[in-house]
Amino acid sequence: MAQPHQITAPSDAALIAAWQSGDERAAAELVGRHARPLARYLSGAGAPDAEVDDLVQETFIRAFRAVDRFRGQCQFRTWLLTIGGNVLKDYGRRAGRRKWMPLDESARDASGDPHERAVASEAEARLAAGVKTLPRLQREVFLLRAQQGLEYEEIAAALATTPGAARVHYHHAVRRLKEILT
Amino acid sequence: MNDAKNGDARLEALAKRLGASAAERLDVEATARKVLAGLREQPSSRRTWIEVHWLRIAAAIVLLIGGGIAVRRIVPVGSGTAQHSHLVADDLGDLSADELKDVLDQFDEIVGSASLMLDSTDLRELDAQQLRAVLRSLEG
């Protein structure tokens, strides 16, 4: 009896190599895999909702153009997120003193108990505001760890620091955010 | 101790929700199309910047050295080290219209001379050794 044909998705590394050979479908596949986590990261780091689409696109364009410099020191997604951090920083410079719009409350999940939802929304909004006040490295480490679920070793490789330093940044960020939330 | 753990867990749970709505709203297929269109259309700004500045630098070197040589051939500027500190623009400012025309002819001759004819006429494609050869030939 013939075995069912097992189709395994190509790895990010294989897609990167295909893109470097000019395969646009490989680039589109990479966008499909990583666009939403990148949007979450950018939004969590303070990107205005109206700008997230453009910032995601800019991050991918910058990443694909610089992909020759990606040496596999960390996962492609982690590398992409750090580029997103730079894109957001540049956006912040361009925006100058213009105040960023708060998160769009109407677009949040509307399921569950209304009271719990209101409490959660408030806490989330306070956390989002608190994350924006963190120093950049603390903010990036916090999001990579708490939001994206990455290990300290992976974070350290992406941010060119040590796992110990990443851990310290994370704990400083957590302490500060807890103060904001209580 | 439990309070601290609960606080950490609550914080992490909240952090995981951050940006979730923005991610849900993102049209991934449209994003992919726009990214590919951007990659096709936009020139690499860094590459453009380097090319433009390299050409400007190369042009400035050629004009300064070539212009200086051309002026010296037309208008002798005395001997000694003083001539090296002479600004080309100062010399050019003192020339008559006919002398200026001679300078431009000389300059064209220098730039178009056989000594500069390398495999490539594009300065960007020359390596350091070839560039040094170009500069030496311009020194006369």
Side-chain angles (χ1 to χ4, degrees):
Chain A
M1 187 173 161
Q3 292 291 318
H5 210 65
Q6 214 171 20
I7 300 170
T8 51
S11 66
D12 283 355
L15 290 172
I16 290 166
W19 156 246
Q20 286 173 312
S21 307
D23 182 354
E24 288 192 341
R25 284 172 308 176
E29 173 67 23
L30 285 166
V31 173
R33 283 184 190 183
H34 303 295
R36 286 192 199 280
L38 174 61
R40 281 182 61 216
Y41 180 77
L42 290 170
S43 180
D49 278 6
E51 303 292 337
V52 169
D53 284 19
D54 286 348
L55 293 171
V56 166
Q57 288 165 35
E58 192 179 333
T59 302
F60 274 109
I61 289 172
R62 210 183 275 192
F64 284 134
R65 288 221 171 104
V67 81
D68 291 344
R69 295 204 291 274
F70 176 61
R71 303 266 179 250
Q73 64 273 32
C74 57
Q75 293 171 44
F76 176 71
R77 179 178 295 177
T78 314
W79 184 69
L80 188 69
L81 297 177
T82 60
I83 292 175
N86 291 331
V87 168
L88 185 59
K89 185 181 76 177
D90 293 345
Y91 166 79
R93 279 199 197 124
R94 288 198 301 269
R97 291 182 184 173
R98 195 176 66 200
K99 192 172 166 56
W100 290 2
M101 297 294 289
L103 295 174
D104 182 6
E105 296 295 329
S106 64
R108 293 187 190 287
D109 181 12
S111 61
D113 176 71
H115 175 69
E116 281 180 12
R117 204 170 61 228
V119 171
S121 283
E122 190 197 334
E124 201 179 320
R126 280 161 62 193
L127 176 63
V131 168
K132 284 187 199 174
T133 68
L134 294 174
R136 186 181 168 200
L137 203 50
Q138 280 185 29
R139 180 171 63 240
E140 293 192 351
V141 170
F142 175 77
L143 288 172
L144 291 172
R145 173 79 180 161
Q147 185 201 50
Q148 303 284 329
L150 299 179
E151 299 294 332
Y152 289 118
E153 287 74 12
E154 175 78 1
I155 296 169
L159 299 178
T161 185
T162 63
R167 191 184 294 269
V168 169
H169 285 304
Y170 181 75
H171 285 293
H172 282 308
V174 165
R175 195 173 60 194
R176 204 154 157 177
L177 292 171
K178 276 184 179 172
E179 286 169 6
I180 290 168
L181 287 175
T182 51
Chain B
M1 188 75 176
N2 277 342
D3 283 350
K5 278 189 177 175
N6 289 339
D8 286 356
R10 178 170 173 249
L11 189 62
E12 287 185 15
L14 281 172
K16 283 188 169 46
R17 283 176 52 86
L18 276 183
S21 58
E24 281 168 24
R25 282 197 302 276
L26 188 75
D27 183 340
V28 175
E29 285 184 12
T31 301
R33 280 196 303 275
K34 288 175 188 170
V35 167
L36 290 176
L39 287 167
R40 285 186 211 118
E41 286 168 16
Q42 289 175 19
S44 167
S45 58
R46 180 177 163 76
R47 193 173 165 187
T48 305
W49 188 92
I50 289 169
E51 283 180 1
V52 167
H53 284 75
W54 169 229
L55 282 173
R56 282 182 182 160
I57 290 165
I61 291 169
V62 168
L63 283 173
L64 281 171
I65 298 174
I69 295 161
V71 167
R72 270 190 285 165
R73 284 188 186 177
I74 300 295
V75 186
V77 287
S79 59
T81 54
Q83 65 179 344
H84 297 297
S85 60
H86 231 77
L87 288 173
V88 173
D90 292 343
D91 288 333
L92 293 173
D94 294 335
L95 301 183
S96 67
D98 286 342
E99 285 172 326
L100 270 173
K101 190 171 175 298
D102 287 342
V103 167
L104 289 174
D105 290 343
Q106 283 277 333
F107 184 68
D108 284 346
E109 193 182 311
I110 291 166
V111 173
S113 69
S115 62
L116 294 181
M117 287 300 166
L118 299 160
D119 292 340
S120 169
T121 54
D122 189 343
L123 284 169
R124 288 170 298 175
E125 293 174 12
L126 305 184
D127 62 23
Q129 200 175 357
Q130 288 170 320
L131 274 170
R132 273 194 291 274
V134 169
L135 293 176
R136 268 199 301 274
S137 69
L138 284 171
E139 284 167 3

